Amino acid sequence: MDTQELSAFDINHHRYVARQIETGRATSQTVESSHEMLLAEVERLTYLVSPAKLKQPAHGVPVEASTFGPIIAVLAKQPRNASVVVEYLGRKSRPGSMGSYRGYHDELRIEPNGREPRTVADLLKDLRRFRRNGITGYKGGDYPVTDNTGVWVAEYGENSHQHVSGVRVDGGVVVIMTEERDW
């Protein structure tokens, strides 16, 4: 059963995955995909039940989020299909690959050179994967990712000093804001 072809939520699929886990036949890709779909459904239902509880930022109003945990929390309150851009040296661009930041090897870097459009769901999936697996440092070593892990926007190998400072919504597009920080 290919999880890529399923609709956003199919309870029978999740029961199938649970049986696969119980028998030891589930692949990590199947479990991760099922996990992401369940999270998406929980977030969708939470929004349907009580949009006021989500405390989504008003259009254009920034929400401070400069470390890993708060960034995930703010993104999780946005529509999963909303496009995401990152600010980088005064311009907006698509988020690209992620990895260790050159300045602090135990902190996360989001590259500002993405070729394909990214959605909130795409970014959340990547960020949650880093939370589970940690970061391999720029010069080696494995580092855990916690709610307090810093997040930067930089090209690979660059010390950009562009630290994520918050999130805002502009015209339905989620903008990951940055500010210059020395380290």
Side-chain angles (χ1 to χ4, degrees), residues 58-83:
H59 179 75
V61 176
V63 174
E64 185 177 328
S66 63
T67 58
F68 200 84
I71 291 168
I72 286 180
V74 172
L75 288 174
K77 295 175 184 176
Q78 304 306 316
R80 292 183 66 80
N81 62 348
S83 293

Side-chain angles (χ1 to χ4, degrees), residues 132-145:
R132 282 191 307 277
N133 301 332
I135 298 171
T136 299
Y138 180 79
K139 290 186 175 182
D142 292 324
Y143 301 94
V145 172

